[in-house]
Amino acid sequence: MDLLGWLVPWEFSPVLVASFLVAIVLFVRGQRVHRVTLARQILFWSGMVLLYLSLHTRLDYYAERMFFIHRAQHLVLHHLGPLLVMAAFPGSVMRAGLPLAWRVRLRDFLLTMPGRVLQRVLTHPVLVPLLFVALVLVWLIPSVQFYSMLDWRLYRLMNWSVVISGFMYWNLILDRRPSPPAAMSPGGRVLSPVLTMAPQMVAGAVIAFTETDIYPLFELCGRAVAMTAQMDQTIGGLTMWIPAALVEVIGLLVALGTLMRLSGKGRLRKADRKGRPGSRAPGASRPAT
């Protein structure tokens, strides 16, 4: 099969194509307002390309018929792709790409109670990491995996859920600001990847070393590559165990760099202050008048 044949979607999704087009247009328009460094542009486009190739090409056919390819696909969808995109800090750029009227409406909505609740949920320092882990482990339950691979609606829900949770999680971890205004403290951003990678590594190790076929669905559907079920399962477990953990280590190192930078600038104490930025720390003397 030639290269163009590989790029043809296995199952065409107009919603997915529209989502990518909207994100691309907003980012390109936003670059006219905000200066975006070459490094950030490379991160954004690399992440977008990886996400598209994993979701909307012939690779999807093999992900439905090989467990280890399925795990490699989710490594990109859940870890690597969202990490690269969010490392480009595209939020302000894409917001600037909105038409002025839409920006005003978005600003006004975020000032309302529903808007504040939505922001709180999407950036909750406990809920978001829990979802990040749960949406990996839940889809790996054999009975859940069985039905999600057979029902195209559940299959798309599975893929979309891991992508969205990935964006939410890396948005927290890669935040370079002190807390507040950041939702998670700098120290929490360093600790969180350790806590989230541990259960995923354990699950990957269990899958890799289990000698029985946990996911017979791939045998029933017919494996796309000549490989035993045991080998397929072992490689899939190792993919979840090692490469996924390495991606989280990268996020941890970025968060550690942010912690050290804020500490060097003496900005960590702001995380312990209550009230508005600029308010006096407890016990601080009042400025002389």
Side-chain angles (χ1 to χ4, degrees):
M1 183 181 297
D2 58 13
L3 179 59
L4 291 178
W6 279 97
L7 294 177
V8 173
W10 171 239
E11 292 180 339
F12 181 76
S13 171
V15 175
L16 187 146
V17 172
S19 300
F20 272 83
L21 288 177
V22 168
I24 289 170
V25 169
L26 291 180
F27 190 79
V28 172
R29 282 172 52 93
Q31 289 183 91
R32 302 173 186 172
V33 179
H34 287 283
R35 178 180 175 273
V36 182
T37 64
L38 178 61
R40 289 174 63 191
Q41 293 182 48
I42 292 174
L43 287 169
F44 178 82
W45 293 114
S46 297
M48 292 293 287
V49 168
L50 284 174
L51 288 172
Y52 183 85
L53 292 177
S54 298
L55 283 168
H56 211 234
T57 62
R58 185 75 176 181
L59 177 68
D60 208 31
Y61 166 83
Y62 289 92
E64 293 179 3
R65 287 160 177 80
M66 296 298 298
F67 178 70
F68 85 91
I69 297 178
H70 174 62
R71 296 322 306 159
Q73 179 192 44
H74 274 221
L75 169 64
V76 173
L77 298 182
H78 190 241
H79 285 71
L80 185 57
L83 171 67
L84 292 173
V85 173
M86 298 313 297
F89 304 107
S92 59
V93 180
M94 296 174 71
R95 212 165 27 242
L98 289 169
L100 178 59
W102 292 16
R103 293 203 303 272
V104 172
R105 291 176 183 175
L106 176 62
R107 181 200 63 192
D108 292 343
F109 171 71
L110 294 178
L111 294 175
T112 64
M113 179 60 72
R116 290 196 296 268
V117 171
L118 179 62
Q119 289 184 83
R120 181 60 175 166
V121 170
L122 294 179
T123 59
H124 197 281
V126 176
L127 176 63
V128 171
L130 283 176
L131 282 176
F132 183 73
V133 175
L135 288 173
V136 171
L137 302 182
V138 166
W139 293 115
L140 283 173
I141 297 172
S143 58
V144 176
Q145 177 91 108
F146 182 87
Y147 289 108
S148 64
M149 299 300 287
L150 291 179
D151 189 324
W152 67 270
R153 292 162 297 188
L154 283 176
Y155 183 76
R156 290 188 178 179
L157 174 63
M158 173 178 63
N159 286 344
W160 277 102
S161 67
V162 296
V163 172
I164 292 171
S165 69
F167 280 130
M168 292 166 56
Y169 182 71
W170 294 118
N171 176 57
L172 284 182
I173 301 302
L174 301 181
D175 198 327
R176 294 174 58 83
R177 302 171 298 171
S179 175
M184 183 179 283
S185 68
R189 291 172 230 161
V190 177
L191 180 62
S192 183
V194 177
L195 299 178
T196 56
M197 80 169 75
Q200 297 178 74
M201 293 176 67
V202 170
V206 170
I207 292 171
F209 292 117
T210 298
E211 297 183 356
T212 58
D213 188 1
I214 305 176
Y215 304 105
L217 166 75
F218 295 94
E219 194 71 38
L220 294 173
C221 293
R223 298 183 189 276
V225 179
M227 182 181 292
T228 65
Q230 181 63 52
M231 181 61 69
D232 187 15
Q233 188 169 287
T234 298
I235 298 175
L238 290 174
T239 301
M240 184 178 174
W241 180 8
I242 301 173
L246 289 176
V247 174
E248 294 216 39
V249 168
I250 293 173
L252 184 154
L253 292 175
V254 173
L256 181 60
T258 297
L259 176 67
M260 295 175 66
R261 177 179 58 82
L262 293 174
S263 177
K265 293 183 177 181
R267 301 180 66 190
L268 288 183
R269 290 185 61 189
K270 291 185 177 181
D272 301 322
R273 295 178 185 174
K274 296 182 179 180
R276 298 185 303 273
S279 61
R280 291 181 293 112
S285 60
R286 183 182 299 276
T289 56

